[in-house]
PDB file of all heavy atoms in Angstrom:
ATOM      1  N   ALA A  20      -6.331  12.579   8.180  1.00 82.00           N
ATOM      2  CA  ALA A  20      -5.949  11.253   8.700  1.00 82.00           C
ATOM      3  C   ALA A  20      -7.066  10.250   8.537  1.00 82.00           C
ATOM      4  O   ALA A  20      -6.834   9.079   8.164  1.00 82.00           O
ATOM      5  CB  ALA A  20      -5.584  11.378  10.190  1.00 82.00           C
ATOM      6  N   ALA A  21      -8.330  10.696   8.717  1.00 85.00           N
ATOM      7  CA  ALA A  21      -9.461   9.789   8.558  1.00 85.00           C
ATOM      8  C   ALA A  21      -9.605   9.354   7.097  1.00 85.00           C
ATOM      9  O   ALA A  21      -9.895   8.176   6.806  1.00 85.00           O
ATOM     10  CB  ALA A  21     -10.742  10.464   9.037  1.00 85.00           C
ATOM     11  N   LEU A  22      -9.397  10.273   6.163  1.00 85.00           N
ATOM     12  CA  LEU A  22      -9.464   9.950   4.746  1.00 85.00           C
ATOM     13  C   LEU A  22      -8.389   8.975   4.356  1.00 85.00           C
ATOM     14  O   LEU A  22      -8.620   8.038   3.574  1.00 85.00           O
ATOM     15  CB  LEU A  22      -9.397  11.227   3.910  1.00 85.00           C
ATOM     16  CG  LEU A  22     -10.553  12.195   3.996  1.00 85.00           C
ATOM     17  CD1 LEU A  22     -10.264  13.440   3.163  1.00 85.00           C
ATOM     18  CD2 LEU A  22     -11.842  11.536   3.525  1.00 85.00           C
ATOM     19  N   MET A  23      -7.166   9.155   4.877  1.00 84.00           N
ATOM     20  CA  MET A  23      -6.093   8.241   4.549  1.00 84.00           C
ATOM     21  C   MET A  23      -6.359   6.867   5.080  1.00 84.00           C
ATOM     22  O   MET A  23      -6.105   5.856   4.419  1.00 84.00           O
ATOM     23  CB  MET A  23      -4.766   8.799   5.087  1.00 84.00           C
ATOM     24  CG  MET A  23      -4.265  10.065   4.400  1.00 84.00           C
ATOM     25  SD  MET A  23      -4.128   9.900   2.610  1.00 84.00           S
ATOM     26  CE  MET A  23      -2.947   8.581   2.497  1.00 84.00           C
ATOM     27  N   ARG A  24      -6.866   6.794   6.322  1.00 85.00           N
ATOM     28  CA  ARG A  24      -7.198   5.464   6.897  1.00 85.00           C
ATOM     29  C   ARG A  24      -8.248   4.775   6.043  1.00 85.00           C
ATOM     30  O   ARG A  24      -8.178   3.559   5.799  1.00 85.00           O
ATOM     31  CB  ARG A  24      -7.679   5.634   8.344  1.00 85.00           C
ATOM     32  CG  ARG A  24      -6.597   5.942   9.331  1.00 85.00           C
ATOM     33  CD  ARG A  24      -7.084   5.696  10.756  1.00 85.00           C
ATOM     34  NE  ARG A  24      -8.263   6.498  11.082  1.00 85.00           N
ATOM     35  CZ  ARG A  24      -8.212   7.713  11.604  1.00 85.00           C
ATOM     36  NH1 ARG A  24      -7.037   8.279  11.849  1.00 85.00           N
ATOM     37  NH2 ARG A  24      -9.333   8.358  11.870  1.00 85.00           N
ATOM     38  N   ARG A  25      -9.216   5.536   5.588  1.00 88.00           N
ATOM     39  CA  ARG A  25     -10.288   4.939   4.772  1.00 88.00           C
ATOM     40  C   ARG A  25      -9.711   4.451   3.437  1.00 88.00           C
ATOM     41  O   ARG A  25     -10.077   3.354   2.978  1.00 88.00           O
ATOM     42  CB  ARG A  25     -11.335   6.007   4.505  1.00 88.00           C
ATOM     43  CG  ARG A  25     -12.542   5.515   3.743  1.00 88.00           C
ATOM     44  CD  ARG A  25     -13.562   4.932   4.685  1.00 88.00           C
ATOM     45  NE  ARG A  25     -14.813   4.692   3.983  1.00 88.00           N
ATOM     46  CZ  ARG A  25     -15.123   3.533   3.385  1.00 88.00           C
ATOM     47  NH1 ARG A  25     -14.298   2.509   3.455  1.00 88.00           N
ATOM     48  NH2 ARG A  25     -16.286   3.395   2.768  1.00 88.00           N
ATOM     49  N   ALA A  26      -8.868   5.244   2.794  1.00 86.00           N
ATOM     50  CA  ALA A  26      -8.298   4.857   1.500  1.00 86.00           C
ATOM     51  C   ALA A  26      -7.431   3.600   1.661  1.00 86.00           C
ATOM     52  O   ALA A  26      -7.542   2.648   0.859  1.00 86.00           O
ATOM     53  CB  ALA A  26      -7.483   5.998   0.923  1.00 86.00           C
ATOM     54  N   PHE A  27      -6.567   3.572   2.706  1.00 84.00           N
ATOM     55  CA  PHE A  27      -5.724   2.389   2.897  1.00 84.00           C
ATOM     56  C   PHE A  27      -6.563   1.170   3.277  1.00 84.00           C
ATOM     57  O   PHE A  27      -6.241   0.056   2.886  1.00 84.00           O
ATOM     58  CB  PHE A  27      -4.695   2.666   3.970  1.00 84.00           C
ATOM     59  CG  PHE A  27      -3.600   3.602   3.519  1.00 84.00           C
ATOM     60  CD1 PHE A  27      -3.007   4.492   4.381  1.00 84.00           C
ATOM     61  CD2 PHE A  27      -3.162   3.564   2.216  1.00 84.00           C
ATOM     62  CE1 PHE A  27      -2.009   5.357   3.977  1.00 84.00           C
ATOM     63  CE2 PHE A  27      -2.159   4.405   1.783  1.00 84.00           C
ATOM     64  CZ  PHE A  27      -1.579   5.313   2.661  1.00 84.00           C
ATOM     65  N   GLY A  28      -7.623   1.386   4.045  1.00 86.00           N
ATOM     66  CA  GLY A  28      -8.492   0.285   4.402  1.00 86.00           C
ATOM     67  C   GLY A  28      -9.119  -0.360   3.171  1.00 86.00           C
ATOM     68  O   GLY A  28      -9.205  -1.598   3.069  1.00 86.00           O
ATOM     69  N   ILE A  29      -9.552   0.487   2.227  1.00 88.00           N
ATOM     70  CA  ILE A  29     -10.133  -0.034   0.984  1.00 88.00           C
ATOM     71  C   ILE A  29      -9.075  -0.767   0.180  1.00 88.00           C
ATOM     72  O   ILE A  29      -9.294  -1.882  -0.306  1.00 88.00           O
ATOM     73  CB  ILE A  29     -10.734   1.119   0.150  1.00 88.00           C
ATOM     74  CG1 ILE A  29     -11.973   1.696   0.850  1.00 88.00           C
ATOM     75  CG2 ILE A  29     -11.110   0.640  -1.253  1.00 88.00           C
ATOM     76  CD1 ILE A  29     -12.526   2.937   0.205  1.00 88.00           C
ATOM     77  N   TYR A  30      -7.895  -0.138   0.011  1.00 85.00           N
ATOM     78  CA  TYR A  30      -6.837  -0.715  -0.823  1.00 85.00           C
ATOM     79  C   TYR A  30      -6.328  -2.023  -0.267  1.00 85.00           C
ATOM     80  O   TYR A  30      -6.246  -3.043  -0.949  1.00 85.00           O
ATOM     81  CB  TYR A  30      -5.715   0.292  -0.981  1.00 85.00           C
ATOM     82  CG  TYR A  30      -4.683  -0.127  -2.016  1.00 85.00           C
ATOM     83  CD1 TYR A  30      -4.845   0.219  -3.347  1.00 85.00           C
ATOM     84  CD2 TYR A  30      -3.562  -0.843  -1.657  1.00 85.00           C
ATOM     85  CE1 TYR A  30      -3.913  -0.156  -4.310  1.00 85.00           C
ATOM     86  CE2 TYR A  30      -2.607  -1.218  -2.607  1.00 85.00           C
ATOM     87  CZ  TYR A  30      -2.801  -0.877  -3.932  1.00 85.00           C
ATOM     88  OH  TYR A  30      -1.862  -1.254  -4.885  1.00 85.00           O
ATOM     89  N   PHE A  31      -5.954  -2.020   1.037  1.00 85.00           N
ATOM     90  CA  PHE A  31      -5.401  -3.224   1.646  1.00 85.00           C
ATOM     91  C   PHE A  31      -6.470  -4.299   1.777  1.00 85.00           C
ATOM     92  O   PHE A  31      -6.166  -5.497   1.681  1.00 85.00           O
ATOM     93  CB  PHE A  31      -4.811  -2.918   3.008  1.00 85.00           C
ATOM     94  CG  PHE A  31      -3.418  -2.344   2.940  1.00 85.00           C
ATOM     95  CD1 PHE A  31      -3.252  -0.998   2.580  1.00 85.00           C
ATOM     96  CD2 PHE A  31      -2.320  -3.098   3.225  1.00 85.00           C
ATOM     97  CE1 PHE A  31      -1.981  -0.449   2.497  1.00 85.00           C
ATOM     98  CE2 PHE A  31      -1.051  -2.542   3.160  1.00 85.00           C
ATOM     99  CZ  PHE A  31      -0.864  -1.216   2.788  1.00 85.00           C
ATOM    100  N   GLY A  32      -7.725  -3.897   1.978  1.00 85.00           N
ATOM    101  CA  GLY A  32      -8.775  -4.882   2.078  1.00 85.00           C
ATOM    102  C   GLY A  32      -9.107  -5.541   0.741  1.00 85.00           C
ATOM    103  O   GLY A  32      -9.413  -6.725   0.679  1.00 85.00           O
ATOM    104  N   ALA A  33      -9.037  -4.760  -0.351  1.00 84.00           N
ATOM    105  CA  ALA A  33      -9.387  -5.289  -1.656  1.00 84.00           C
ATOM    106  C   ALA A  33      -8.242  -6.055  -2.302  1.00 84.00           C
ATOM    107  O   ALA A  33      -8.448  -7.059  -2.972  1.00 84.00           O
ATOM    108  CB  ALA A  33      -9.825  -4.140  -2.593  1.00 84.00           C
ATOM    109  N   ALA A  34      -7.011  -5.591  -2.103  1.00 83.00           N
ATOM    110  CA  ALA A  34      -5.856  -6.227  -2.779  1.00 83.00           C
ATOM    111  C   ALA A  34      -4.667  -6.293  -1.809  1.00 83.00           C
ATOM    112  O   ALA A  34      -3.680  -5.585  -1.985  1.00 83.00           O
ATOM    113  CB  ALA A  34      -5.493  -5.440  -4.039  1.00 83.00           C
ATOM    114  N   PRO A  35      -4.735  -7.150  -0.777  1.00 85.00           N
ATOM    115  CA  PRO A  35      -3.651  -7.186   0.211  1.00 85.00           C
ATOM    116  C   PRO A  35      -2.296  -7.582  -0.363  1.00 85.00           C
ATOM    117  O   PRO A  35      -1.259  -7.004   0.000  1.00 85.00           O
ATOM    118  CB  PRO A  35      -4.129  -8.209   1.243  1.00 85.00           C
ATOM    119  CG  PRO A  35      -5.177  -9.019   0.516  1.00 85.00           C
ATOM    120  CD  PRO A  35      -5.805  -8.093  -0.461  1.00 85.00           C
ATOM    121  N   TRP A  36      -2.274  -8.527  -1.313  1.00 82.00           N
ATOM    122  CA  TRP A  36      -0.990  -8.957  -1.856  1.00 82.00           C
ATOM    123  C   TRP A  36      -0.367  -7.818  -2.685  1.00 82.00           C
ATOM    124  O   TRP A  36       0.848  -7.629  -2.631  1.00 82.00           O
ATOM    125  CB  TRP A  36      -1.194 -10.202  -2.747  1.00 82.00           C
ATOM    126  CG  TRP A  36      -1.739  -9.907  -4.114  1.00 82.00           C
ATOM    127  CD1 TRP A  36      -3.035  -9.848  -4.475  1.00 82.00           C
ATOM    128  CD2 TRP A  36      -0.987  -9.596  -5.286  1.00 82.00           C
ATOM    129  NE1 TRP A  36      -3.163  -9.545  -5.788  1.00 82.00           N
ATOM    130  CE2 TRP A  36      -1.910  -9.403  -6.348  1.00 82.00           C
ATOM    131  CE3 TRP A  36       0.368  -9.496  -5.556  1.00 82.00           C
ATOM    132  CZ2 TRP A  36      -1.519  -9.090  -7.623  1.00 82.00           C
ATOM    133  CZ3 TRP A  36       0.781  -9.193  -6.867  1.00 82.00           C
ATOM    134  CH2 TRP A  36      -0.174  -8.981  -7.869  1.00 82.00           C
ATOM    135  N   ALA A  37      -1.163  -7.087  -3.409  1.00 80.00           N
ATOM    136  CA  ALA A  37      -0.632  -5.968  -4.212  1.00 80.00           C
ATOM    137  C   ALA A  37      -0.123  -4.875  -3.276  1.00 80.00           C
ATOM    138  O   ALA A  37       0.871  -4.196  -3.623  1.00 80.00           O
ATOM    139  CB  ALA A  37      -1.726  -5.418  -5.104  1.00 80.00           C
ATOM    140  N   ALA A  38      -0.757  -4.684  -2.134  1.00 80.00           N
ATOM    141  CA  ALA A  38      -0.298  -3.697  -1.155  1.00 80.00           C
ATOM    142  C   ALA A  38       1.094  -4.031  -0.630  1.00 80.00           C
ATOM    143  O   ALA A  38       1.975  -3.174  -0.532  1.00 80.00           O
ATOM    144  CB  ALA A  38      -1.298  -3.557  -0.029  1.00 80.00           C
ATOM    145  N   VAL A  39       1.296  -5.319  -0.306  1.00 81.00           N
ATOM    146  CA  VAL A  39       2.604  -5.746   0.185  1.00 81.00           C
ATOM    147  C   VAL A  39       3.661  -5.597  -0.894  1.00 81.00           C
ATOM    148  O   VAL A  39       4.767  -5.095  -0.644  1.00 81.00           O
ATOM    149  CB  VAL A  39       2.536  -7.217   0.674  1.00 81.00           C
ATOM    150  CG1 VAL A  39       3.917  -7.736   1.017  1.00 81.00           C
ATOM    151  CG2 VAL A  39       1.588  -7.343   1.860  1.00 81.00           C
ATOM    152  N   VAL A  40       3.330  -6.002  -2.125  1.00 80.00           N
ATOM    153  CA  VAL A  40       4.288  -5.876  -3.236  1.00 80.00           C
ATOM    154  C   VAL A  40       4.643  -4.400  -3.459  1.00 80.00           C
ATOM    155  O   VAL A  40       5.812  -4.062  -3.680  1.00 80.00           O
ATOM    156  CB  VAL A  40       3.663  -6.466  -4.508  1.00 80.00           C
ATOM    157  CG1 VAL A  40       4.495  -6.087  -5.742  1.00 80.00           C
ATOM    158  CG2 VAL A  40       3.595  -7.984  -4.396  1.00 80.00           C
ATOM    159  N   SER A  41       3.677  -3.514  -3.370  1.00 79.00           N
ATOM    160  CA  SER A  41       3.927  -2.092  -3.598  1.00 79.00           C
ATOM    161  C   SER A  41       4.869  -1.512  -2.527  1.00 79.00           C
ATOM    162  O   SER A  41       5.697  -0.649  -2.849  1.00 79.00           O
ATOM    163  CB  SER A  41       2.619  -1.320  -3.646  1.00 79.00           C
ATOM    164  OG  SER A  41       1.949  -1.380  -2.403  1.00 79.00           O
ATOM    165  N   ILE A  42       4.779  -1.996  -1.326  1.00 78.00           N
ATOM    166  CA  ILE A  42       5.677  -1.511  -0.258  1.00 78.00           C
ATOM    167  C   ILE A  42       7.094  -1.962  -0.549  1.00 78.00           C
ATOM    168  O   ILE A  42       8.057  -1.172  -0.404  1.00 78.00           O
ATOM    169  CB  ILE A  42       5.212  -1.999   1.113  1.00 78.00           C
ATOM    170  CG1 ILE A  42       3.870  -1.356   1.490  1.00 78.00           C
ATOM    171  CG2 ILE A  42       6.253  -1.697   2.173  1.00 78.00           C
ATOM    172  CD1 ILE A  42       3.251  -1.887   2.750  1.00 78.00           C
ATOM    173  N   VAL A  43       7.261  -3.217  -0.932  1.00 78.00           N
ATOM    174  CA  VAL A  43       8.602  -3.738  -1.274  1.00 78.00           C
ATOM    175  C   VAL A  43       9.192  -2.943  -2.427  1.00 78.00           C
ATOM    176  O   VAL A  43      10.348  -2.540  -2.421  1.00 78.00           O
ATOM    177  CB  VAL A  43       8.523  -5.239  -1.612  1.00 78.00           C
ATOM    178  CG1 VAL A  43       9.874  -5.739  -2.105  1.00 78.00           C
ATOM    179  CG2 VAL A  43       8.069  -6.017  -0.389  1.00 78.00           C
ATOM    180  N   ILE A  44       8.373  -2.728  -3.449  1.00 76.00           N
ATOM    181  CA  ILE A  44       8.824  -1.989  -4.617  1.00 76.00           C
ATOM    182  C   ILE A  44       9.215  -0.544  -4.251  1.00 76.00           C
ATOM    183  O   ILE A  44      10.160   0.013  -4.799  1.00 76.00           O
ATOM    184  CB  ILE A  44       7.736  -1.999  -5.708  1.00 76.00           C
ATOM    185  CG1 ILE A  44       7.601  -3.418  -6.272  1.00 76.00           C
ATOM    186  CG2 ILE A  44       8.039  -1.008  -6.817  1.00 76.00           C
ATOM    187  CD1 ILE A  44       6.430  -3.593  -7.227  1.00 76.00           C
ATOM    188  N   MET A  45       8.483   0.060  -3.301  1.00 73.00           N
ATOM    189  CA  MET A  45       8.810   1.400  -2.859  1.00 73.00           C
ATOM    190  C   MET A  45      10.215   1.468  -2.287  1.00 73.00           C
ATOM    191  O   MET A  45      11.028   2.342  -2.645  1.00 73.00           O
ATOM    192  CB  MET A  45       7.821   1.856  -1.793  1.00 73.00           C
ATOM    193  CG  MET A  45       8.161   3.190  -1.143  1.00 73.00           C
ATOM    194  SD  MET A  45       7.246   3.514   0.380  1.00 73.00           S
ATOM    195  CE  MET A  45       8.032   2.349   1.518  1.00 73.00           C
ATOM    196  N   VAL A  46      10.555   0.514  -1.434  1.00 74.00           N
ATOM    197  CA  VAL A  46      11.894   0.498  -0.801  1.00 74.00           C
ATOM    198  C   VAL A  46      12.961   0.234  -1.850  1.00 74.00           C
ATOM    199  O   VAL A  46      13.981   0.980  -1.916  1.00 74.00           O
ATOM    200  CB  VAL A  46      11.934  -0.588   0.296  1.00 74.00           C
ATOM    201  CG1 VAL A  46      13.342  -0.678   0.873  1.00 74.00           C
ATOM    202  CG2 VAL A  46      10.930  -0.285   1.380  1.00 74.00           C
ATOM    203  N   VAL A  47      12.761  -0.771  -2.693  1.00 74.00           N
ATOM    204  CA  VAL A  47      13.765  -1.098  -3.710  1.00 74.00           C
ATOM    205  C   VAL A  47      13.922   0.047  -4.712  1.00 74.00           C
ATOM    206  O   VAL A  47      15.043   0.427  -5.063  1.00 74.00           O
ATOM    207  CB  VAL A  47      13.373  -2.391  -4.441  1.00 74.00           C
ATOM    208  CG1 VAL A  47      14.333  -2.680  -5.575  1.00 74.00           C
ATOM    209  CG2 VAL A  47      13.372  -3.550  -3.465  1.00 74.00           C
ATOM    210  N   GLY A  48      12.786   0.635  -5.148  1.00 70.00           N
ATOM    211  CA  GLY A  48      12.845   1.733  -6.067  1.00 70.00           C
ATOM    212  C   GLY A  48      13.576   2.945  -5.482  1.00 70.00           C
ATOM    213  O   GLY A  48      14.305   3.637  -6.192  1.00 70.00           O
ATOM    214  N   GLY A  49      13.371   3.213  -4.205  1.00 67.00           N
ATOM    215  CA  GLY A  49      14.041   4.329  -3.569  1.00 67.00           C
ATOM    216  C   GLY A  49      15.532   4.148  -3.483  1.00 67.00           C
ATOM    217  O   GLY A  49      16.299   5.119  -3.487  1.00 67.00           O
ATOM    218  N   LEU A  50      15.994   2.905  -3.392  1.00 70.00           N
ATOM    219  CA  LEU A  50      17.427   2.620  -3.250  1.00 70.00           C
ATOM    220  C   LEU A  50      18.114   2.395  -4.586  1.00 70.00           C
ATOM    221  O   LEU A  50      19.353   2.363  -4.656  1.00 70.00           O
ATOM    222  CB  LEU A  50      17.621   1.387  -2.373  1.00 70.00           C
ATOM    223  CG  LEU A  50      17.180   1.555  -0.902  1.00 70.00           C
ATOM    224  CD1 LEU A  50      17.300   0.234  -0.165  1.00 70.00           C
ATOM    225  CD2 LEU A  50      17.997   2.611  -0.197  1.00 70.00           C
ATOM    226  N   THR A  51      17.333   2.230  -5.658  1.00 72.00           N
ATOM    227  CA  THR A  51      17.930   1.906  -6.964  1.00 72.00           C
ATOM    228  C   THR A  51      18.845   3.004  -7.455  1.00 72.00           C
ATOM    229  O   THR A  51      19.965   2.752  -7.931  1.00 72.00           O
ATOM    230  CB  THR A  51      16.812   1.646  -8.013  1.00 72.00           C
ATOM    231  OG1 THR A  51      16.065   0.505  -7.591  1.00 72.00           O
ATOM    232  CG2 THR A  51      17.407   1.413  -9.382  1.00 72.00           C
TER     233      THR A  51
END
């Protein structure tokens, strides 16, 4: 859990807009 928090902290901190886009794409891709 600590490693995942660290990885997400780095990713969302470095590229927040890309993180939001990737979540949207995840939902749409799963329903396609």
Side-chain angles (χ1 to χ4, degrees):
L22 292 176
M23 292 305 300
R24 285 196 302 271
R25 184 87 169 92
F27 287 146
I29 292 173
Y30 189 88
F31 278 77
W36 78 270
V39 173
V40 168
S41 62
I42 293 173
V43 173
I44 291 173
M45 174 194 72
V46 176
V47 175
L50 294 174
T51 297

